[in-house]
Amino acid sequence: MRAEQDAMMLVRADLCERLETLRILSGRQLGRDFDVAVAGVRQLAAAYGLTPVVRLAEALERAGRPGGPGACPRALYLDRLQDAIGCTRLDEAAGQAMIASVSVRFA
């Protein structure tokens, strides 16, 4: 059990580092680099069952696509990603609640 907790701590630390990279990239006009970084966060989170992180990364990917809900600032998603990385709940409902909170904050 301890080894599993240690592994999850390492994954969460890696995700936090990737989130900082996303924050830096979000301020630049390098859309492709940002998209690749978001996909990396999504894939790592999916590999470890971090559903809230996966759902927020998917929503952020959709928001950045042409014709997507791009009016919502990336910073709202990035703030929620920080919360999702530390979230102890890993179920679908937690992910949906975090996505809903982005909508509430945007409105």
Side-chain angles (χ1 to χ4, degrees):
M1 182 70 165
R2 179 71 179 156
E4 186 177 305
Q5 289 174 335
D6 289 347
M8 189 58 77
M9 284 178 54
L10 290 173
V11 170
R12 290 179 194 271
D14 187 1
L15 287 168
C16 285
E17 289 175 15
R18 291 174 186 229
L19 178 58
E20 285 309 309
T21 300
L22 285 174
R23 289 183 196 281
I24 292 166
L25 291 173
S26 71
R28 299 180 183 168
Q29 297 300 322
L30 305 173
R32 174 83 175 124
D33 291 341
F34 184 82
D35 294 344
V36 169
V38 173
V41 166
R42 179 182 43 76
Q43 291 166 353
L44 179 60
Y48 287 90
L50 299 170
T51 303
V53 178
V54 173
R55 295 299 171 247
L56 280 164
E58 290 170 345
L60 181 53
E61 287 174 321
R62 283 190 303 273
R65 289 185 190 138
C72 187
R74 288 177 172 171
L76 291 176
Y77 289 100
L78 297 178
D79 289 344
R80 293 284 85 184
L81 271 171
Q82 180 74 50
D83 295 338
I85 290 168
C87 186
T88 57
R89 285 188 51 197
L90 303 178
D91 60 349
E92 189 68 39
Q96 293 304 317
M98 289 194 180
I99 291 171
S101 73
V102 171
S103 296
V104 168
R105 289 172 191 235
F106 182 59

